[in-house]
Amino acid sequence: MYDSWNKKSFSTNQRLIADFIQRNEQRVLYLTEQEIADELDISIASVSRFWRAVGYVNAKQFKAKLRFRLESTPAIKLQETINQVGDLSLPETLLATCMQHLEETCKRLTPSLLSDASLMIRQARHVYIFSPGPCISLADLFAFRLKRFGIEIRIMAASGHELLESLMHTNQEDVILIFGFVHLLPEIEVIMDHAREAHYRVILMTDRFIYPRSDHADIVLYAGRGEVWEFHSMVGPIYVIENLILNIGLSMPEQSLAKLTHLQQMRVTYSTKLPR
């Protein structure tokens, strides 16, 4: 819902309000216009005018949209997908949706951004990955491919205090890749907070144009997955992951080819005992 906001055209007060809303989504649902104005030390008139500036009649209409966004369930997401399947078949509908996600993702994955992320990963002592929920499949793919190049990959606990078992070993030579889709999880906040102490670098992959605390990441990679209330495809994130893998491999051809050649030799040597 924030994707259409043209923040470049906002006044100073409008930027203050927009940033406040994005960082305090849950609270905003229960705050009055006067309370928002008081917290930001601006006039209530500025808050009242803001809603029309971002396409809503009033605060009530905005809050209704925000509440729907925050409370979207898997059932709602599936129903939204069902509603989109009109005259086209499901494969045709899904293909069109995936193409849209890929186009959005490709526009924002610039060569320089890809090279910077790849270099950061290649130079790291260890690459830690935080991959909650279904994102574990992305972490497994990334780890499987990069381990072949000799890069040290460690997948972190997906939730809870076990995350600290990984964070306690990090330092300035490490990189943490975060999959931060839809919501800012408490675990992501902890990773961002601890970075100030341990000085590791952070690569954030997100499906939001505006993601809370994205300014605390060293590199932000966008991967289109659709609106919050839609069924989320992993096509965009996989596209980014595979670009990273190939860019890293191409950036260290001698090492990567040597590792893969050695792997093939081992397969031949042990083919009778470990058949494919």
Side-chain angles (χ1 to χ4, degrees), residues 23 38 41 53 57 59 77 115 120 122 135 154 172 174 176 179 182 184 188 193 221 224 226 228 243 245 267:
R23 293 177 182 275
D38 290 344
D41 195 23
V57 175
K77 295 175 184 177
S115 295
M120 190 177 291
R122 294 200 322 268
C135 297
R154 300 185 178 185
Q172 70 275 7
D174 299 324
I176 296 185
F179 293 105
V182 184
L184 177 66
I188 296 178
D193 290 342
L221 301 173
V228 175
N243 267 276
I245 293 167
R267 284 176 173 173

Side-chain angles (χ1 to χ4, degrees), residues 15-33:
R15 288 195 189 94
L16 284 173
I17 298 168
D19 289 341
F20 178 79
I21 289 171
Q22 290 155 29
R23 293 177 182 275
N24 300 273
E25 289 184 317
Q26 296 284 353
R27 289 185 61 215
V28 166
L29 291 174
Y30 306 100
L31 292 176
T32 65
E33 290 185 339

Side-chain angles (χ1 to χ4, degrees), residues 129-136 155-164 166 179 185-188 191:
I129 307 178
F130 177 69
S131 52
C135 297
I136 188 62
I155 297 178
M156 310 170 78
S159 63
H161 63 85
E162 289 186 15
L163 182 76
L164 305 178
S166 296
F179 293 105
L185 299 176
E187 288 82 3
I188 296 178
I191 292 172

